[in-house]
Amino acid sequence: MRLNEVDLNGNSELVFRFRSIDTILEYDELKNLEMYFCPFEMEDDAFEGALNLYWKGDEILWDNFIGHYFITFLIYYIGLILSDDAERKIPDKINWRQFRSGFNMEGLILQLLDKPIVKMVKDFAMAKEHKVESDELRLYLSLLHGAVLEVVDHMMKDEVLEIKGRVENIDYVKEIENVNWEEAKEKGSFRVLNQMLQRQKKRLDSPKLSGWQRWLVMEFPNDYFDVLNEMVFPKWYIVSFCRNCTNTRNWAQYGDSNRGVCLIYRTHQGATGRGLRIKTCHEYSTSKGKIIKNHIEPLYKVEYSANHPELNFFEMLGSLPGKMLDEWFHDREGNASSYYVKRDNGPKWKEWHQRYWNTFQKLVIRKGEDWDGLEEERIVLENSFLVDYENDLSERKIRYDFEELRGIIWGCNVKESRKNEIRSIINELCANSGRADFEFYQAVKDPSSLEIWIEKEIL
């Protein structure tokens, strides 16, 4: 070892978190002893949380899938046309949590399912042994959307979307009859369907459409597709750590090009393994409100892999509540889909439940193999049907006692003025807690080995 070098990586009781100084000061992370849960899609890996989904189901499932699409569209359609111009707003994200039983629209759904283009899409989707992949489903949704607009247009008998006539002129029967399907199979059936879609879009599009009208007519299918993942698994949020405080990539990427710091936390053994002791609301009192308790939250080691297992959308609908599951997996006469697993705590249900959560746990700790070597660990928070953390930033912050923060490592390029800003916060925390064992360390570049090593700071 080098003179004054300390081997913090060799201490299994420690875990590290790289931060820029600007971030921890701007949001008072250090002063308030907080850590923020980041949405998984904001992580650095472009494929973080990516699902390799396909769609394979029977007619009951496909009919109900299409019915759900129709009801979801209709809710937004009615909401927008009944709003004043000043109040009309295109949603940032579609709310897919719509119960079909809350609307008396079964007659309209039957009209939709009877459309030639819908029947054709279902025939393609339910072909023997065929798996509908993501790009194919996007194509189907856009094709189905023309039929949805036609049903809605006839129902409303107005020109709110200014598509009257253009929808009626889409003769799907003629379109389908004119296709040489034997030739199409040789060249690729979906190329023919895509050409059909492009003709449909050309007919539907118009420079007269306003922003919200264009969203309903042209963009809704893609926005609906974008929320399908949330029907499979709840959205999750991450606080990331690592087991290596000398990795040059960690310092460059997460330590603000060596101008940031590395926070050192101690770990504890909890009921479910090694983790961090944090403050969390676990109990409630009618007289005192929320009672804050310390709790050991498990750390999960990230696995690096290039493989994303295939998952059947219709077999992984774990985010749907029981009432919605019944709607999706039964027809109007009460017949159950062959894919239905009853939530009765029986052996079939227990097997499905175990497989579902095992798949989810692997998903939330998986990154692409390009990130191997970072030795990342993370704490995970996920939504439930009743609790959505997406817009509640206060609930996505971990708080912890000062004694859990064991020290700070300065990046190689941190200026003394920035160090003093951090030291003043730490000095105040030490004074308030009566603590005298907080340690500062310095990261040091070694030009000969192109490595970073750590030395204890002597004040």
Side-chain angles (χ1 to χ4, degrees):
M1 293 181 68
R2 303 167 181 86
L3 185 65
N4 297 328
E5 182 178 1
V6 292
D7 182 16
L8 297 177
N9 291 334
N11 189 335
S12 61
E13 295 181 356
L14 301 179
V15 69
F16 310 101
R17 180 164 165 79
F18 290 89
R19 303 297 284 162
S20 75
I21 292 178
D22 287 340
T23 298
I24 60 176
L25 293 180
E26 180 181 353
Y27 299 103
D28 288 330
E29 285 186 4
L30 186 58
K31 183 178 180 180
N32 295 333
L33 300 173
E34 292 177 338
M35 290 180 280
Y36 169 70
F37 278 103
C38 176
F40 75 87
E41 67 268 22
M42 300 296 289
E43 287 291 301
D44 41 27
D45 183 359
F47 292 99
E48 181 85 49
L51 291 177
N52 187 12
L53 289 177
Y54 67 90
W55 284 255
K56 183 175 175 56
D58 54 24
E59 189 166 17
I60 289 175
L61 283 170
W62 279 110
D63 282 351
N64 290 329
F65 178 83
I66 295 168
H68 180 267
Y69 179 89
F70 177 80
I71 290 294
T72 305
F73 173 79
L74 194 59
I75 289 170
Y76 282 101
Y77 173 85
I78 293 174
L80 285 169
I81 66 172
L82 293 180
S83 299
D84 294 332
D85 288 341
E87 297 177 352
R88 286 193 177 110
K89 183 181 177 182
I90 300 171
D92 294 328
K93 186 180 71 172
I94 287 175
N95 178 11
W96 56 266
R97 297 174 175 86
Q98 311 296 344
F99 293 98
R100 181 169 163 178
S101 57
F103 301 87
N104 185 20
M105 296 294 172
E106 295 306 304
L108 293 176
I109 292 174
L110 289 176
Q111 286 182 37
L112 176 64
L113 294 175
D114 197 45
K115 295 289 183 183
I117 187 66
V118 176
K119 291 180 178 179
M120 185 194 72
V121 165
K122 284 171 52 181
D123 287 343
F124 271 90
M126 293 188 297
K128 187 177 181 181
E129 304 303 323
H130 179 57
K131 296 178 179 179
V132 176
E133 297 185 353
S134 294
D135 288 344
E136 184 181 343
L137 186 73
R138 282 185 185 271
L139 174 62
Y140 289 162
L141 287 176
S142 294
L143 282 169
L144 291 169
H145 195 61
V148 169
L149 291 173
E150 185 177 354
V151 171
V152 171
D153 187 66
H154 287 171
M155 174 190 74
M156 300 303 291
K157 299 185 184 306
D158 61 25
E159 298 184 17
V160 172
L161 297 182
E162 299 187 15
I163 57 174
K164 196 171 183 63
R166 299 203 304 282
V167 173
E168 293 172 341
N169 289 337
I170 302 177
D171 190 343
Y172 291 110
V173 175
K174 187 175 180 180
E175 291 268 7
I176 295 168
E177 288 176 348
N178 287 342
V179 174
N180 184 333
W181 290 109
E182 291 302 318
E183 181 181 345
K185 289 178 182 177
E186 296 177 6
K187 295 182 178 180
S189 301
F190 305 118
R191 181 185 302 176
V192 175
L193 293 176
N194 188 56
Q195 291 170 350
M196 190 182 297
L197 173 61
Q198 297 313 312
R199 290 193 292 272
Q200 170 182 295
K201 286 184 174 180
K202 188 174 181 179
R203 290 176 180 131
L204 289 174
D205 202 358
S206 168
K208 295 181 180 180
L209 293 173
S210 63
W212 65 273
Q213 289 173 322
R214 175 171 292 278
W215 180 73
L216 286 171
V217 174
M218 307 297 295
E219 300 168 15
F220 185 88
N222 276 333
D223 283 5
Y224 181 86
F225 178 87
D226 288 341
V227 298
L228 292 178
N229 281 8
E230 291 185 27
M231 299 185 197
V232 176
F233 291 121
K235 186 172 181 177
W236 68 93
Y237 310 86
I238 300 165
V239 177
S240 293
F241 307 85
C242 68
R243 302 186 299 280
N244 190 319
C245 64
T246 57
N247 185 292
T248 56
R249 185 175 176 184
N250 282 337
W251 276 109
Q253 191 155 345
Y254 308 114
D256 192 21
S257 299
N258 291 281
R259 295 186 298 268
V261 297
C262 179
L263 305 176
I264 307 170
Y265 296 93
R266 66 174 179 173
T267 63
H268 305 268
Q269 282 300 126
T272 57
R274 174 172 165 271
L276 290 185
R277 178 171 285 140
I278 65 172
K279 290 178 179 290
T280 183
C281 298
H282 277 284
E283 297 179 4
Y284 294 86
S285 170
T286 55
S287 59
K288 298 180 180 179
K290 292 182 179 180
I291 299 176
I292 306 298
K293 296 184 67 177
N294 280 333
H295 168 70
I296 297 176
E297 193 71 26
L299 283 162
Y300 298 102
K301 290 184 179 180
V302 171
E303 299 176 357
Y304 304 94
S305 172
N307 298 319
H308 281 58
E310 280 192 323
L311 301 173
N312 185 357
F313 174 85
F314 291 122
E315 294 180 327
M316 302 298 291
L317 291 172
S319 286
L320 269 61
K323 180 180 177 182
M324 191 174 287
L325 277 174
D326 285 339
E327 290 182 355
W328 278 59
F329 284 84
H330 294 85
D331 63 16
R332 298 172 72 236
E333 286 72 42
N335 301 308
S337 163
S338 58
Y339 290 78
Y340 180 58
V341 178
K342 188 177 181 180
R343 294 187 176 188
D344 58 358
N345 212 32
K348 191 175 180 181
W349 160 249
K350 288 181 178 178
E351 179 185 351
W352 179 92
H353 187 263
Q354 185 66 42
R355 177 165 52 89
Y356 174 84
W357 283 109
N358 285 345
T359 304
F360 178 68
Q361 286 297 324
K362 290 180 180 178
L363 175 69
V364 301
I365 62 171
R366 186 176 62 227
K367 291 184 79 164
E369 61 182 359
D370 289 346
W371 302 92
D372 195 4
L374 298 186
E375 300 183 64
E376 182 184 344
E377 295 184 293
R378 56 179 52 167
I379 296 175
V380 179
L381 173 75
E382 68 267 8
N383 284 344
S384 69
F385 190 80
L386 298 176
V387 182
D388 189 341
Y389 296 101
E390 184 162 8
N391 298 315
D392 194 344
L393 300 184
S394 63
E395 292 295 326
R396 279 170 34 204
K397 292 180 180 179
I398 289 178
R399 300 199 67 187
Y400 56 91
D401 288 329
F402 180 47
E403 65 181 24
E404 302 305 318
L405 181 63
R406 303 312 302 161
I408 290 178
I409 306 171
W410 307 116
C412 304
N413 300 328
V414 178
K415 295 181 178 180
E416 196 63 31
S417 61
R418 308 249 63 190
K419 291 182 180 180
N420 289 335
E421 291 181 74
I422 300 294
R423 286 195 185 102
S424 65
I425 296 174
I426 295 299
N427 289 340
E428 183 177 351
L429 290 169
C430 285
N432 291 337
S433 63
R435 183 176 167 188
D437 63 346
F438 193 90
E439 300 285 1
F440 289 101
Y441 301 86
Q442 178 65 56
V444 182
K445 294 179 183 178
D446 186 341
S448 62
S449 64
L450 300 180
E451 294 177 336
I452 289 177
W453 56 280
I454 308 297
E455 67 176 4
K456 186 175 179 180
E457 183 178 71
I458 300 175
L459 300 176

